[in-house]
Amino acid sequence: MSWGTELWDQFDNLDKHTQWGIDFLERYAKFVKERLDIEQNYAKQLRSLVKKYCPKRSKDEEPRFTSCLSFYSVLNELNDFAGQREVVAEEMAHKVYGELMRYSQDLKAERKHHLQEGRKAQQYLDHCWKQMDNSKRKFERECKEAEKSQITFDRLDNDINATKSEVEKAKAQFYLRTHMADESKNEYAAQLQNFNAEQWKHFNNAIPHIFKNLQAMDERRTVKLGETYRCFAEAERRVIPIVSKCLEGMVSAAKAVDERKDSAIVVESFKSGFDPPGDFPFEDFSQHLSRTGSDGTISSTPKAEKDRDGAPGPRPDLKQHPMNRTKNKLWLFGKKPKAPSLEDFSHLPPEQRRKRLQARIDELNKELQKEMDQRDALNKMKDVYEKNPQMGDPSSLQPKISETICNMEKLRSEIHKNETWLSEVEGKQSSRGDRRHSADNHHHAPQGRESPEGSYTDDTSQEHHTPHHRPKSPPSGRPNVDPHEFDDEFDDDDPLPVIGHCKALYSFDGQNEGTLVMAEDEVLYIIEEDKGDGWTRARKQSGEEGYVPTSYVDITLEKNSKGAVTYI
C-alpha cells in the first residue's frame, strides 16, 4: 500500500509518525549505549577482580600446589572471559550504536528535505487558491455594481423629470459596469481553471511523490532496526565459542586439582630429613646409696647383678642425646624459630638444604652457560675481525673476552664450592637411605643410640670425617664443571646434536672460511643457535656443517632442545 494514494490528506499525521520513528531509533540507540556501558564496566570489574586475587609474585613465591595452580588458571580464564565481554562492547559500539547514530542523522536530514518539499507544494497550492478566491470575489463585486448601475439607468430612463444628460450618464455607467463584470468573470474563470489544474497536480503528482519518499525512508528505518537487532545478537553469538573454551578451561582446571600431589608437595616442602628421636634411657641416680635389709627388696638393681656388671658406668651426657642435639629443629608443635641465613644453608634441615643448594647450582650453571655463550660469540667475532680487518679491530674485543673468562672462573669456583656442600648432604642422606633400605629388607629397625645420619649435631668432628666427594653423575640439567680443567670450545670427535631445522629464505654462496653454501628453500638442520653475532651453525643432510647468516633462514627449534648441550 502506498502512502501517496491512501494517505493523500494526512500530511500532518505522517509528519508526526516519521518523527516518532526517528525518536524510537534514537531510543534504541540509547538502550544499546547503556548495554555496552554495562559490558565495559563488567569487563573492567572482572579484570580488577583478577588483578586483586592474582598479585605479582617473585620467583620463589610461585605456587606449586595443584589447587593454587588451578585457581590461577581459573583467574586466567576469567581474564580471557573479561576480554570477550570487551569484544562484545566494542562490537556493539561500532556496529550497532555508532551505526544507529549516523543513520539517525541521515534520517533527520532526509525527513526535513521531504517535509520542506511538501510544505512548498502546499504553499503554492494555497497561493493558487487565494488568487482564484480573489478573482471570484472581484467578479462578485463587479456583478453587484453592474446590477446597481442597471437599476439606476432603468429608473432614470423611466423618469420624465430626468434630463437627457443624466440618462446618458447612467447608461454609460451601466455599460461600464457590465463590461467590468464580464472581465472579472473571464479572470475568475481563468483562475479557477488554473487552480483546478494545480490542485490535480498537487494531489496526484507532488504529494504522492513526497509521501512515497517518506514511506521509503520509514521502511528503510524499520529495516535498519532489524539489522541492528541482528548485529546486537551476533555480537554475543560470536564470542560464545571462546567463552565456552574459557568455561571448559575452568572445568579442566577444576579436574586438575590433585589432593595426593598437594600432600606430596607439603612433604617435599617441609621435610627436614631428621630421624624421629629415640627413647630416653632410665638414669638411676640411687646406685651409690647404701641399702638396708628392709628396703633391699625395692632396689631396682640386684646386688648380684651389680657384682656381675662391675662398677656402674659413667653418667650419660644428656647434651649428646639426639633429642637435645635436634633441639629447636623439629618444630613439631611450636613456631619455627628464625635462624640466620648462612651461605651454605647449614641453618636449614638436610632435605631443605639439599634443595636450596641444588637450586643455587642450577642458577650458577645457567649463568655459566650464558658467559660461555658470550665468550663463544666474542671469539667468533674476533675471528671474523682477524679475517676481515675492515670490519673491526680484533684487539678491541680482548678485554671483554678476558672479563668473560674471569667471570667463568668465578662461577666455576662457586659451583665447585656449592657442589662440595651438596656432596656432604647427599653423602649423609645416601648412607641413611642405605641403612633404611637394609632395615626394610630385614623387616626390623637398627638398634643403638647413634646420632641419625643426615641430621645436625653440635659436634663438628663427624663432619670432618665425612668424605668430601662429588656425586658420580651431575643432576639433570646441570653441567658437570671441573674448575681445574678448561676444555676446548668444541669436541670435534662427537657431532653436535640437532636442536631444530631451518629453511633458507635466500641463497648464500658461503665464500668465507667456515661458512656453509645453501640454496633458496633448502632445508638445513640447526646444531647451534645464534650467539648474538648474527651467525647460526647448521648442517646439511649430506653431513656438511658451517655457519649461515641468521637473517637468511627461517628457524624452527625443537621443543625442549634449548640448553640440551653444554659447551665448555
Side-chain angles (χ1 to χ4, degrees):
M1 300 179 69
S2 175
W3 290 5
T5 57
E6 303 294 335
L7 304 176
W8 60 271
D9 57 344
Q10 300 298 320
F11 182 86
D12 294 338
N13 287 331
L14 291 180
D15 184 4
K16 295 178 181 178
H17 173 74
T18 52
Q19 182 61 44
W20 170 85
I22 294 176
D23 293 340
F24 180 79
L25 185 140
E26 290 181 342
R27 184 184 180 190
Y28 174 64
K30 184 179 179 181
F31 161 77
V32 175
K33 180 66 168 60
E34 293 182 1
R35 169 62 192 280
L36 67 90
D37 288 341
I38 291 174
E39 291 290 346
Q40 289 176 344
N41 292 332
Y42 180 42
K44 183 178 180 181
Q45 292 176 359
L46 285 179
R47 290 194 182 276
S48 299
L49 182 66
V50 170
K51 186 177 180 181
K52 177 181 177 181
Y53 285 92
C54 189
K56 294 182 179 179
R57 303 176 300 275
S58 63
K59 186 178 180 181
D60 295 336
E61 296 175 350
E62 286 293 331
R64 294 184 297 162
F65 296 103
T66 58
S67 56
C68 294
L69 295 174
S70 296
F71 175 64
Y72 290 126
S73 297
V74 169
L75 290 180
N76 290 332
E77 297 295 344
L78 186 61
N79 192 53
D80 295 340
F81 178 80
Q84 296 308 307
R85 304 321 306 173
E86 291 176 347
V87 171
V88 171
E90 290 176 1
E91 289 274 341
M92 290 182 178
H94 177 67
K95 295 186 177 181
V96 182
Y97 177 72
E99 186 66 23
L100 284 175
M101 295 308 296
R102 288 191 296 270
Y103 193 73
S104 174
Q105 298 299 324
D106 295 340
L107 280 181
K108 289 180 179 180
E110 184 178 358
R111 173 180 175 274
K112 181 178 180 181
H113 173 71
H114 294 322
L115 292 179
Q116 284 179 349
E117 287 185 347
R119 290 190 180 93
K120 287 181 180 179
Q122 187 65 41
Q123 290 174 358
Y124 181 70
L125 183 63
D126 292 342
H127 176 69
C128 293
W129 182 83
K130 287 181 179 179
Q131 287 183 340
M132 183 272 297
D133 186 64
N134 291 334
S135 62
K136 177 182 177 181
R137 293 177 182 278
K138 182 179 178 181
F139 173 58
E140 183 180 4
R141 289 195 305 270
E142 292 298 334
C143 288
K144 288 181 180 179
E145 292 294 332
E147 288 177 0
K148 288 181 181 180
S149 61
Q150 184 179 5
I151 293 173
T152 302
F153 171 69
D154 290 341
R155 181 175 57 80
L156 291 175
D157 188 34
N158 294 326
D159 187 5
I160 58 175
N161 296 322
T163 62
K164 185 177 181 179
S165 60
E166 291 178 349
V167 173
E168 290 294 332
K169 184 178 179 181
K171 184 178 180 180
Q173 186 68 23
F174 168 67
Y175 287 150
L176 177 62
R177 290 296 181 182
T178 302
H179 179 70
M180 292 176 65
D182 291 339
E183 289 182 352
S184 299
K185 179 181 179 180
N186 294 333
E187 182 181 358
Y188 168 62
Q191 292 294 336
L192 180 62
Q193 184 179 4
N194 180 63
F195 172 75
N196 290 332
E198 293 298 332
Q199 182 176 250
W200 187 90
K201 291 180 182 180
H202 179 79
F203 289 108
N204 290 276
N205 291 332
I207 290 298
H209 177 71
I210 294 171
F211 284 7
K212 184 178 180 180
N213 291 335
L214 288 173
Q215 181 181 4
M217 180 195 73
D218 193 70
E219 289 176 352
R220 289 198 307 273
R221 176 192 62 82
T222 305
V223 171
K224 193 67 176 180
L225 282 173
E227 291 177 354
T228 53
Y229 295 161
R230 185 176 66 253
C231 292
F232 186 84
E234 286 291 336
E236 288 279 358
R237 189 164 65 178
R238 285 193 189 97
V239 302
I240 287 178
I242 303 179
V243 170
S244 299
K245 289 183 180 180
C246 293
L247 299 178
E248 290 174 1
M250 295 182 185
V251 174
S252 300
K255 293 179 180 178
V257 176
D258 188 348
E259 67 281 3
R260 296 185 180 274
K261 187 175 180 181
D262 284 0
S263 297
I265 292 174
V266 173
V267 174
E268 181 184 355
S269 300
F270 303 111
K271 181 179 179 182
S272 65
F274 293 120
D275 281 335
D279 295 336
F280 278 90
F282 177 77
E283 300 181 15
D284 190 1
F285 298 101
S286 64
Q287 292 178 356
H288 301 286
L289 298 178
S290 61
R291 302 292 181 180
T292 62
S294 60
D295 60 0
T297 56
I298 64 173
S299 176
S300 61
T301 306
K303 184 177 181 181
E305 185 176 343
K306 288 183 181 180
D307 296 339
R308 183 174 63 250
D309 294 341
R315 180 179 178 181
D317 187 2
L318 292 179
K319 294 182 180 180
Q320 300 298 326
H321 194 272
M323 184 62 184
N324 289 334
R325 288 199 297 268
T326 60
K327 186 178 181 182
N328 291 333
K329 294 180 181 178
L330 297 181
W331 317 298
L332 296 179
F333 306 103
K335 186 176 180 181
K336 181 178 178 180
K338 293 184 179 179
S341 179
L342 303 177
E343 183 183 5
D344 59 351
F345 302 115
S346 58
H347 63 286
L348 296 176
E351 183 68 20
Q352 303 301 322
R353 182 187 181 192
R354 184 190 66 79
K355 292 179 182 178
R356 294 292 292 273
L357 287 172
Q358 184 64 62
R360 179 188 284 176
I361 291 172
D362 293 340
E363 292 179 0
L364 291 173
N365 277 316
K366 290 180 181 178
E367 294 179 7
L368 178 61
Q369 182 63 41
K370 291 180 181 178
E371 294 292 337
M372 291 163 55
D373 292 342
Q374 186 175 1
R375 180 203 62 186
D376 296 341
L378 291 171
N379 286 331
K380 290 179 185 178
M381 190 179 298
K382 182 179 178 181
D383 293 340
V384 173
Y385 287 175
E386 289 176 351
K387 295 176 181 179
N388 302 288
Q390 67 275 10
M391 297 181 65
D393 184 11
S395 60
S396 62
L397 300 176
Q398 190 59 40
K400 188 65 176 177
I401 295 176
S402 301
E403 181 184 355
T404 304
I405 294 176
C406 182
N407 293 337
M408 290 169 56
E409 290 300 327
K410 291 180 181 178
L411 289 172
R412 285 193 180 99
S413 177
E414 286 292 325
I415 291 173
H416 177 68
K417 181 170 62 176
N418 284 272
E419 284 181 343
T420 301
W421 293 333
L422 180 63
S423 65
E424 295 176 7
V425 179
E426 290 180 344
K428 295 175 183 179
Q429 290 186 338
S430 62
S431 62
R432 179 185 172 209
D434 293 341
R435 189 179 66 184
R436 284 190 174 180
H437 181 68
S438 174
D440 293 339
N441 291 338
H442 294 85
H443 301 283
H444 68 276
Q447 301 295 326
R449 292 178 49 215
E450 298 180 17
S451 176
E453 296 185 30
S455 63
Y456 291 98
T457 176
D458 295 334
D459 186 6
T460 59
S461 61
Q462 183 179 359
E463 294 186 3
H464 293 311
H465 294 290
T466 302
H468 290 254
H469 66 277
R470 298 175 62 185
K472 293 181 180 180
S473 60
S476 175
R478 179 169 58 88
N480 189 5
V481 180
D482 189 350
H484 305 292
E485 183 178 353
F486 188 80
D487 297 336
D488 292 334
E489 183 179 355
F490 301 106
D491 187 359
D492 296 335
D493 296 335
D494 297 330
L496 294 175
V498 176
I499 62 174
H501 64 277
C502 67
K503 182 180 180 182
L505 302 176
Y506 314 100
S507 60
F508 181 64
D509 53 8
Q511 296 179 356
N512 295 332
E513 183 180 357
T515 57
L516 187 65
V517 179
M518 65 178 180
E520 186 176 355
D521 295 332
E522 183 178 359
V523 177
L524 307 174
Y525 297 115
I526 300 298
I527 58 177
E528 183 181 335
E529 292 185 68
D530 187 353
K531 305 301 182 183
D533 56 353
W535 294 90
T536 300
R537 193 173 184 182
R539 179 189 299 151
K540 286 191 173 184
Q541 297 181 359
S542 61
E544 184 181 358
E545 297 181 1
Y547 290 95
V548 295
T550 305
S551 59
Y552 278 46
V553 292
D554 182 14
I555 298 176
T556 302
L557 294 179
E558 301 295 337
K559 234 179 187 182
N560 300 328
S561 65
K562 186 173 183 180
V565 179
T566 303
Y567 307 104
I568 299 177

